[in-house]
């Protein structure tokens, strides 16, 4: 069974540009989470999508946005890139429903975004 | 490349010894906890989880202990191997599917 897949693995942009990061959850998972992991810091929560809706948003400016598609894959868009946006962006997915199995969060390998 | 924090607390352990990695969690209402392992350049890998109605859970070579009284979680790795070298961090959830992650501990296994 394929895990969470993210693309691209690396992305280099210049300040002011826009970046689009993609995530495919594990088959059968309906919830997708996005996290930012900057060097020297832990995982910072960005966005949570479930069944196509944004369920929760972290403390990030509006230029960080995203969406979830009908097939549960997701996109993270970062507009007007700033140097401090350079980080590893991680996507995680979780199964639907209640109970123990639906709480486990599984991560992809991330997209390393470098803003020059 | 190095994608995980450079200034994390580090635990150095001799190969073959047992490792104990600790985590203090913040929310007394948290009822679900996960330990992750993150190797350089990779995403976090699920290791083991535990619910708050348990105080111990064992996996293959790993044991998680939960002390709700002092809001403390630990991960014990038996017979530590070079492949265990990574950053380990815990996550907590309070049943709302919102997860809070610790900053992590770097485990270095010495040959």
């Amino acid at each position: 069974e394929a895990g969470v897949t993210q693309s691209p693995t690396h992305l280099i942009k210049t300040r002011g540009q826009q970046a689009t990061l993609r995530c495919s959850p594990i088959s059968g998972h309906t919830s997708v989470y996005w996290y930012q992991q900057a060097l020297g810091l832990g995982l910072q929560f960005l966005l949570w999508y479930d069944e196509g809706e944004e369920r929760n948003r972290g403390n990030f400016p509006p230029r960080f946005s995203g969406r979830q598609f009908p097939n549960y894959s997701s996109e993270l868009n970062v507009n007007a890139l700033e140097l401090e946006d350079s980080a590893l962006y991680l996507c995680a997915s979780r199964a639907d429903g209640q109970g123990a199995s639906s709480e486990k969060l599984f991560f992809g390998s991330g997209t390393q975004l470098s803003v020059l | 490349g190095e994608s995980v924090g450079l200034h994390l607390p580090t635990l150095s352990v001799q190969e073959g010894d047992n490792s104990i990695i600790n985590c203090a969690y913040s929310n007394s209402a948290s009822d679900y906890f996960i330990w992750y392992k993150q190797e350089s350049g990779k995403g976090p890998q699920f290791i083991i989880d535990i619910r708050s109605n348990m105080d111990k859970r064992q996996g293959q070579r790993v044991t998680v202990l939960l002390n709700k009284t002092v809001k403390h979680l630990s991960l014990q790795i038996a017979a530590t191997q070079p492949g265990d070298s990574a950053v380990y961090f815990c996550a907590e959830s309070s049943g709302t599917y919102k997860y809070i992650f610790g900053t992590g501990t770097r485990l270095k296994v010495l040959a």
Side-chain angles (χ1 to χ4, degrees):
Chain A
E1 178 185 296
V4 178
T5 57
Q6 292 187 244
S7 64
T9 53
H10 292 84
L11 189 58
I12 300 174
K13 295 284 187 179
T14 56
R15 199 168 46 182
Q17 285 189 312
Q18 187 244 2
T20 298
L21 288 63
R22 297 180 176 84
C23 172
S24 291
I26 292 172
S27 177
H29 286 193
T30 60
S31 272
V32 170
Y33 295 74
W34 287 97
Y35 292 89
Q36 182 196 66
Q37 188 176 40
L39 202 60
L41 299 176
L43 273 71
Q44 305 296 314
F45 169 68
L46 275 162
L47 291 158
W48 168 26
Y49 291 96
D50 184 58
E51 298 282 356
E53 305 260 338
E54 184 181 298
R55 300 296 183 186
N56 197 16
R57 181 182 179 85
N59 188 25
F60 279 84
R63 59 191 185 82
F64 287 83
S65 65
R67 54 180 172 167
Q68 187 178 32
F69 300 98
N71 66 352
Y72 304 116
S73 67
S74 178
E75 252 179 27
L76 174 69
N77 295 291
V78 188
N79 293 319
L81 284 164
E82 300 179 1
L83 297 178
E84 53 265 33
D85 296 333
S86 295
L88 180 68
Y89 288 84
L90 291 161
C91 172
S93 74
R94 180 178 61 76
D96 188 20
Q98 304 292 322
S101 64
S102 70
E103 290 186 281
K104 293 182 180 179
L105 202 60
F106 295 93
F107 284 87
S109 296
T111 293
Q112 185 66 55
L113 173 64
S114 298
V115 183
L116 308 178
Chain B
E2 183 64 75
S3 60
V4 184
L6 295 176
H7 304 293
L8 297 171
T10 299
L11 174 67
S12 295
V13 175
Q14 206 69 36
E15 182 180 354
D17 287 352
N18 297 334
S19 303
I20 300 176
I21 301 170
N22 297 305
C23 176
Y25 64 92
S26 57
N27 186 0
S28 56
S30 291
D31 60 1
Y32 178 68
F33 306 87
I34 309 175
W35 275 103
Y36 287 95
K37 171 187 180 182
Q38 188 174 24
E39 296 174 272
S40 185
K42 297 184 178 180
Q45 176 187 355
F46 178 98
I47 302 174
I48 191 168
D49 59 354
I50 189 168
R51 297 201 63 81
S52 59
N53 60 353
M54 303 172 72
D55 51 24
K56 180 179 180 179
R57 190 167 187 219
Q58 289 185 288
Q60 190 173 14
R61 266 200 322 119
V62 294
T63 301
V64 54
L65 299 177
L66 175 63
N67 185 332
K68 295 180 287 293
T69 303
V70 295
K71 293 191 288 185
H72 184 268
L73 198 65
S74 69
L75 176 71
Q76 300 179 2
I77 304 174
T80 312
Q81 302 168 0
D84 295 327
S85 293
V87 173
Y88 291 81
F89 53 90
C90 63
E92 60 180 295
S93 173
S94 57
T96 57
Y97 300 117
K98 298 176 186 176
Y99 300 82
I100 302 171
F101 290 85
T103 51
T105 297
R106 185 183 309 280
L107 176 65
K108 285 189 176 179
V109 181
L110 309 172

